[in-house]
Amino acid sequence: MDTEYKTIRQQLLEKAAALPSAPGVYIMKNSEGEVIYVGKSRKLCARVSQYFRNGEKNRKTERMVANVRSFDTILVANEAEALTLENELIKLHMPRFNIRLKDSKAYPYIKITVNDEYPRVLYTRQRDADGARYFGPFPDQTAARSLLDTLYKIIGIPECKRIFPRDIGAQRPCIYRDMNRCVAPCAGDVTPQVYRTVIDEAIAFLSGNTARVRRSLTEKMQEAAEEERYEAAARYRDSLKALDALRQKQKVVGSPDTELDVIAASSGELASVVTVLSVRGGAIASKEDFVFSGDEIFDSGALTSFVLDYYALRGCPSQLLLLTEEDAEDVAACGELLSGLAGRKVSVTVPKKGTKHDLCIMAQKNAEDKLREVSRTAEAENAALVRLAELLGLEVVPDRIEAYDISNYGNEQIYGAMVCVVNGKFSRKDYRVFRCEDGQDDYACMKSVVGRRLSHNKREGDGAMPDLPDLLLIDGGSAHVAAARQGAAEAGCNVNIIGMVKDEHHKTRALTDGEREIGIARETAVYRFIYGIQEEVHRFAISKSGGGKRKTLRRSSLEDIKGIGKTKAKRLLEYFGGLEGVKKASLEELVASDIGITAASAVRLYFHPEDGE
């Protein structure tokens, strides 16, 4: 620890020691004033001081503290206010070291339009305040569509896009009615009241109340059998079998009316995992694992922050079980805030024994298992990064790597592509593409692209660039590296720039710093890592230049003629049967195509300039 940093850390400790022993939120900032971490505490003085004392800390926390150059605090009245404010500030600043859930727009839902006369059951990724009933969000599209498909088979709701009562009688019922997979309101013999009972069963099923659905199906099967409607009885029997098969896959952990979520976490140096077990109808209906990177600090207050963020996106059951060492006041504050969000009482408890505690242990074991899986992958990626840093003689292991490639179709579509790797994984939200105006000159294009990217690093708004990379990889040899360095120098940035050299078969062969080549053929982990990056940036570059070319091909060359737009170009091509016919047409023939004398003259002169006089 150098003398300057020791001085800064001592100053921060003295400032922290002067804080009041009161609840509040603290906001850590780096040398540029950027918010890098937000936390809360019932006693600000004690909590904030801990960061700057010389006691033992985990790697993630020590790394965050090493970047802190100042901090602010906001005092609040109680723990509930602190938890709320912390959550809002994290959403506002998106600090690098805080755990964050992905945007709710990415989650799929199942939507039931309960206010319609004949409600529809739909798959959607958008949740609106439209009075509909939403279930989810689900972890991915597969989970949502699988559940929806099971719902269709068991309940018999329509899968088609018809809207009722508008489309009743418009078309004959489809084959699903004959297969007894749909109640077929399109036939006109299903009243809104009867259809509503089907929708109520769908709602019960999605809510986890499979016992109610089973009772209803059993009653309908018996009634159909007594009335000698054997095909209908068979359909209900098959639905019951499907429901029982689904039930057998679920672990029963309580009485049929048990509905709760169980949340536990496991944290390591390379990652953290939160597992959510959802118990519906007394059985474990689903499990979700949320993985957070090694930089995201999962400290003593992280679980309640996660819980608030998680249930801000979805419906909350009336009971939550947590496995956490957080203070009872923080847990109680979490329950108070969730009750406000849900508009009803939500109980949040940390059971210490009994069946509920066993459920918490089960959730934690699932989190630990997922963490081991993630850590094995992270260790392999980290080992490759460490070895790469050793081979290149870098001062630090590169957390952020950017790679660049130039792709073109002749002189028309020339693009520079940038892909980004953060902590060993591709970060597609940080990919960028640059249009080049330097013609078929790879070196000039590379210089321009790198210079533009680095000089625009501080731009805000839609044109904002991500953080500067620890390492910049160029697809090419020493000449490309030299061009990239010129661009970086003109932008006033000093970054590590390395070239990725290919062999005669266009496969990764070595790395170069512009003066020497570093062989990686025998460095298996590094080779795979670099090869993956080189292939990805090449793929991305080709996709962009190819897309531009396809747009060009969709535009007729006739539109380059003054006075000829898309409509007249289409008329000419149709009238003369193609471009060759247009080229050979006389002025009189062009006028006859009804594009006007001026436009016809322009077309004739374009293809036959010798007719100018």
Side-chain angles (χ1 to χ4, degrees), residues 24 31 43 61 81 92 97 124 157 211 214 245-246 410 506 551 602 606:
S31 58
K43 297 180 180 179
T61 303
E81 287 186 10
L92 175 64
F97 292 98
T124 180
I157 57 174
R214 198 182 198 290
L246 180 68
H506 295 278
K551 289 180 182 178
Y606 183 83

Side-chain angles (χ1 to χ4, degrees), residues 35 38 42 62 87 115-116 123 135 170-171 199 209 280 347 349 361 393 423 432 446-447 451 458 510 554-555 562 568:
V35 175
V38 175
R42 290 189 301 120
E62 189 60 62
N87 196 259
N115 291 331
D116 293 347
Y123 170 91
F135 295 88
Q171 293 175 297
I199 292 297
N209 191 352
R280 300 292 184 269
S347 170
T349 58
I361 297 299
N423 294 321
R432 296 290 188 276
M446 188 63 77
K447 173 186 172 183
K458 297 301 180 184
R554 285 195 293 267
R555 180 179 179 274
K562 186 177 180 180
K568 287 184 178 179

